Amino acid sequence: MAAQYMLLVFVFLMAFAAIKDAMSFTIPNWLNGAIVLLFPVAAIAFGMSWAEFGLHLAVGAGALVLGMALFAPGWIGGGDAKLIAAAALWFGWPDAGMFLAKSALMGGALAVILLMLRRMVPATNLSAGWVAKTPLAEGAPAPYGIALAAGAFWTLPGSTLLTLALG
């Protein structure tokens, strides 16, 4: 039962990261840190072996390198790069690959949706009120935390992580 609660907390934290990113274009370090620090507790609850745990750590480290490579040219934000690593740590091998692929697809869908919504909002409304501080504003960055959370939620049902949590 503890493993299921750990997984539920992971889902909650990913959803919170998406909401926070949509509202402020930031994913705080404490939130990424909480996802990472919860993982060892979850690994114990899941009954992971040391080898499995080590593989998850290696996948998380590799995802951090990938995230920093995407951050360096400005393609994603620093919080997004850390969230990629934090979520990949949970998914491990080979599910992290599916998480990354599905997150990329969701990022494309997010970009299309934002472009469509930005065209629907009249330009006169962009300088005043709440629209100027949202992803709907022209030139605003895409809150990629939404795509990462969606990718995680899409990956979760077929993942080893869920199998471990359900025992």
Side-chain angles (χ1 to χ4, degrees):
M1 190 63 120
Q4 294 160 348
Y5 289 126
M6 294 288 113
L7 191 57
L8 187 60
V9 173
F10 169 69
V11 167
F12 171 78
L13 291 173
M14 289 297 292
F16 187 69
I19 292 166
K20 182 77 172 123
D21 201 15
M23 293 175 64
S24 67
F25 301 110
T26 59
I27 301 170
N29 286 335
W30 70 261
L31 184 53
N32 285 317
I35 294 170
V36 169
L37 292 174
L38 183 64
F39 178 71
V41 177
I44 292 168
F46 295 155
M48 276 187 194
S49 70
W50 281 106
E52 290 173 312
F53 182 74
L55 188 54
H56 278 256
L57 289 177
V59 167
L64 183 59
V65 170
L66 172 66
M68 291 298 120
L70 295 171
F71 168 73
W75 295 339
I76 63 171
D80 301 323
K82 290 175 266 189
L83 187 60
I84 288 170
L89 170 70
W90 277 74
F91 283 110
W93 183 260
D95 294 327
M98 285 305 277
F99 158 69
L100 293 171
K102 289 177 178 181
S103 293
L105 289 172
M106 296 309 291
L110 175 66
V112 169
I113 290 167
L114 286 175
L115 288 172
M116 288 176 22
L117 289 174
R118 286 174 184 172
R119 289 181 186 253
M120 293 171 57
V121 175
T124 56
N125 291 341
L126 293 179
S127 61
W130 65 272
V131 176
K133 299 176 182 86
T134 70
L136 296 181
E138 192 66 36
Y144 205 73
I146 295 171
L148 294 171
F153 301 153
W154 186 9
T155 303
L156 195 58
S159 70
T160 305
L161 187 61
L162 184 64
T163 303
L164 289 172
L166 297 177

